[in-house]
Amino acid sequence: MSRPMQVSRYWRHFREKYRLIGGKCENGHVHFPKRPICPVCGSREIEEVELSGKGKVLSWTIIRNPPSGFEYYKPYPLALIELEEGPIVLAQLTDIDPEEIDFGMEVEVVTKKIREFEEDGIILYGYKFRPPVK
Amino acid sequence: MKKAVIIGAGMTPVGEHWKLALRDLAVEAVFNAMDDAGIDKVYSLYVGNMISGPFVEQENLGSLIADWAGLGNIPAVKIEAACASGGAAVQEGVKAVLSGLEDVVAVVGVEKMTDAWPNDATRYLAYAADAEWELFHGASFVALNALVMRYYMKTHGYTEEDLALFAVNAHTNGAKNPYAMFKRSIKLETVLKSPYIADPLKLFDASPVCDGAAAVIITTPEKAKELGVPKEKWVEVAGMGRAIDTINLANREDLLTLKAAKIAAERAYKMAGVEPKDIDFFEIHDAFTIMAALSLEALGVAKKGDGAKLAREGQIAIDADYPIQTMGGLKARGHPVGATGVYQTVEAVLQLRGEAPNQVPNAEVGLTQNIGGTGSNITVTVLRRV
Ligand SMILES: [Zn+2]
């Protein structure tokens, strides 16, 4: 499934996906991804904030029947991670044995390849999470 | 205020219809509903459908179906609210009648899912999730529900077995429904031994990919009388509510509360003047067993965290206090996504007329609840025997 005309659709989110840029309203509520209006207080005064990328596993699954385009990775772990700034983020876990994943496990962000479109197609990168490298 | 009554209901069997196209299924359901009401004309058509574009390269379903069903040059549109498209289409039809602008309305829900490769079907279903922040990361719909399921089990101390009981109940009831995809009961072990598709969610925790169509005819009591439709056929749409929640699961205020269902139910109960204890049966959205548990909590049938307990205590069977999925639910009847909400409505109509193959004794009030997305778009409708 090659979609060369969709490049712009992906580069629009480079900053969020490479550097975990979220939003912070004037009252200090942090969210991810950045929204036009604060979901907590309704303020439209939102500034960008780079999140630390440190968090804990809230829940996880192992995907065995992936949507098309992700067959290459199967099976792969997907998790909800609660970041230390508060927001929850959905991402794949990487560099980990699925048996070792547990509730509350500490993880950190890492930039990885998310998907590849055929031989001459574009390659998408973004955040995944892994156990902290000491 | 005007009243809306359903005077006709029809459906096709749910299954893998290799020989039938989307239009064939839809037309058959519409004809069945019109024949049931004994009428040969409707003045408007609402089509509940989620993803006909990717699945069969067909949009503009209003024109397609009204044209092929020979309904004439009437207004006809497709209503889309992910897997809640059917429930939303029924509610749009009711709104049109209640407003006084339209008087004999047909609503058909249809989905043709087996014309796609399985992994593509998985992808299309995930279009109801957040494309940039969920599907981008390889999330399937099953996976998002699995994340909720694991968190629910951990938070409230349930096992995979507890949730599997919802699937067993659905199959027990579906076995008696001639229109169900799976007309057989199953054992608890069948669910537990089925393969993981997104751990801890197993194949038998999930509803199947399938095809089907269901339809209802809605009008006012005055018009029903004028058309000569016998009163035994009438079922009143007594209350309805609809609400959304964040499209992205990660952005939820509380992962384990179907807030949209809660709000939708409160509105529907208020409009109908009923409470959960007044409802004789519930057709809820058990696309995944975890959603059955969370739905019972959101509808006020169980306290938060107690949804799965109702299954364990045997309170959801046909002859118990809170019968659910009387015709098999999404799990056993099947879940042709955009058609499901209309199937639920047809099944509720049969129960309230006393014509169901798996009859809830003396059913007077029934409820349907239809979920789109991972709890992000939900309809609740209360129906009452006239
Ligand atoms: Zn704020």
Side-chain angles (χ1 to χ4, degrees):
Chain A
M1 211 177 10
S2 174
R3 299 189 196 157
M5 293 308 287
Q6 292 209 330
V7 172
S8 60
R9 200 182 136 198
Y10 297 113
W11 60 242
R12 249 173 243 152
H13 292 294
F14 274 0
R15 288 159 40 72
E16 289 101 320
K17 283 173 180 164
Y18 291 3
R19 286 176 47 213
L20 270 190
I21 303 286
K24 187 180 188 177
C25 81
E26 57 186 331
N27 297 312
H29 304 125
V30 182
H31 54 268
F32 180 85
K34 190 181 164 220
R35 287 169 172 260
I37 179 164
C38 174
V40 179
C41 68
S43 165
R44 290 195 199 175
E45 295 296 318
I46 312 279
E47 61 172 41
E48 291 190 348
V49 51
E50 185 169 345
L51 301 166
S52 68
K54 290 189 197 318
K56 288 177 177 171
V57 172
L58 198 64
S59 190
W60 75 99
T61 183
I62 311 295
I63 299 186
R64 296 170 194 278
N65 293 52
S68 49
F70 289 88
E71 292 89 345
Y72 174 81
Y73 291 103
K74 85 173 182 182
Y76 54 93
L78 186 81
L80 286 169
I81 293 131
E82 189 165 15
L83 299 175
E84 61 180 13
E85 293 89 349
I88 297 170
V89 57
L90 177 92
Q92 286 182 30
L93 296 178
T94 185
D95 304 317
I96 188 166
D97 175 354
E99 298 294 312
E100 287 169 19
I101 307 170
D102 203 359
F103 295 102
M105 174 182 206
E106 287 185 19
V107 287
E108 67 179 16
V109 76
V110 57
T111 301
K112 288 263 183 179
K113 183 168 77 184
I114 304 280
R115 195 177 160 197
E116 208 171 313
F117 290 80
E118 293 170 7
E119 219 172 293
D120 54 354
I122 56 171
I123 298 172
L124 304 180
Y125 291 88
Y127 51 80
K128 290 188 183 179
F129 286 78
R130 67 179 176 198
V133 175
K134 305 238 160 66
Chain B
M1 191 179 168
K2 275 187 183 291
K3 278 191 174 179
V5 288
I6 295 174
I7 55 167
M11 52 187 165
T12 72
V14 179
E16 297 180 349
H17 290 293
W18 304 109
K19 289 183 179 168
L20 298 175
L22 181 144
R23 71 183 75 192
D24 302 323
L25 292 163
V27 168
E28 188 182 328
V30 170
F31 284 175
N32 287 346
M34 288 173 74
D35 292 350
D36 180 50
I39 59 169
D40 56 10
K41 205 165 168 42
V42 296
Y43 298 91
S44 188
L45 175 75
Y46 292 86
V47 182
N49 171 270
M50 176 179 164
I51 20 179
S52 61
F55 267 118
V56 293
E57 299 187 315
Q58 180 72 62
E59 292 296 357
N60 199 7
L61 295 188
S63 294
L64 176 81
I65 296 162
D67 177 7
W68 278 72
L71 302 180
N73 308 101
I74 61 169
V77 288
K78 161 171 164 170
I79 305 291
E80 187 270 316
C83 298
S85 298
V90 170
Q91 294 199 352
E92 288 305 315
V94 172
K95 276 159 72 179
V97 167
L98 291 180
S99 76
L101 277 172
E102 297 180 349
D103 71 358
V104 186
V105 169
V107 177
V108 61
V110 61
E111 203 80 58
K112 183 83 180 84
M113 304 168 75
T114 61
D115 286 356
W117 295 106
N119 286 10
D120 284 338
T122 301
R123 181 167 198 87
Y124 303 153
L125 288 167
Y127 287 178
D130 187 326
E132 298 293 352
W133 308 102
E134 296 184 315
L135 181 54
F136 177 89
H137 295 280
S140 66
F141 229 69
V142 182
L144 294 169
N145 280 275
L147 291 167
V148 178
M149 180 175 168
R150 192 188 295 272
Y151 193 57
Y152 183 79
M153 285 160 50
K154 163 79 174 170
T155 306
H156 298 302
Y158 288 116
T159 60
E160 293 176 20
E161 190 175 315
D162 290 319
L163 290 164
L165 292 169
F166 285 104
V168 174
N169 174 71
H171 275 262
T172 302
N173 296 344
K176 298 211 175 112
N177 176 6
Y179 293 89
M181 180 161 180
F182 303 123
K183 291 180 273 287
R184 60 172 193 270
S185 49
I186 54 167
K187 293 195 172 101
L188 185 59
E189 296 79 63
T190 316
V191 187
L192 296 174
K193 281 184 183 155
S194 65
Y196 286 110
I197 40 180
D199 323 28
L201 204 156
K202 295 166 294 301
L203 186 64
F204 270 70
D205 283 304
S207 51
V209 164
C210 53
D211 312 320
V216 290
I217 311 294
I218 306 164
T219 189
T220 58
E222 297 75 29
K223 187 75 185 176
K225 211 176 285 172
E226 193 188 311
L227 290 167
V229 183
K231 226 170 169 180
E232 302 84 67
K233 293 234 170 211
W234 303 8
V235 166
E236 186 197 350
V237 180
M240 44 188 217
R242 191 150 106 209
I244 67 110
D245 203 340
T246 62
I247 186 162
N248 189 326
L249 181 66
N251 293 161
R252 277 305 139 76
E253 216 174 275
D254 173 1
L255 281 173
L256 300 182
T257 297
L258 290 178
K259 195 173 170 187
K262 224 172 151 171
I263 296 168
E266 276 161 15
R267 288 177 185 160
Y269 288 147
K270 193 172 167 210
M271 184 174 161
V274 297
E275 293 175 41
K277 65 169 172 51
D278 304 321
I279 312 278
D280 298 310
F281 65 93
F282 300 79
E283 298 300 336
I284 60 175
H285 192 97
D286 61 337
F288 303 98
T289 50
I290 175 64
M291 282 299 133
L294 290 181
S295 294
L296 288 171
E297 296 172 20
L299 293 173
V301 176
K303 281 207 285 277
K304 189 168 160 61
D306 283 357
K309 220 179 264 178
L310 289 189
R312 202 197 278 161
E313 293 168 353
Q315 295 194 58
I316 57 170
I318 292 280
D319 55 358
D321 282 351
Y322 303 103
I324 66 168
Q325 319 310 67
T326 66
M327 305 272 273
L330 286 60
K331 173 72 192 83
R333 172 235 296 128
H335 180 30
V337 288
T340 290
V342 189
Y343 271 99
Q344 294 175 320
T345 311
V346 170
E347 291 163 355
V349 166
L350 295 180
Q351 284 290 355
L352 295 168
R353 284 185 189 164
E355 295 171 2
N358 210 350
Q359 188 62 43
V360 174
N362 307 312
E364 297 219 353
V365 186
L367 177 147
T368 63
Q369 176 237 23
N370 195 195
I371 305 182
T374 321
S376 68
N377 204 329
I378 303 185
T379 72
V380 173
T381 308
V382 175
L383 300 129
R384 189 188 277 132
R385 189 161 80 191
V386 174

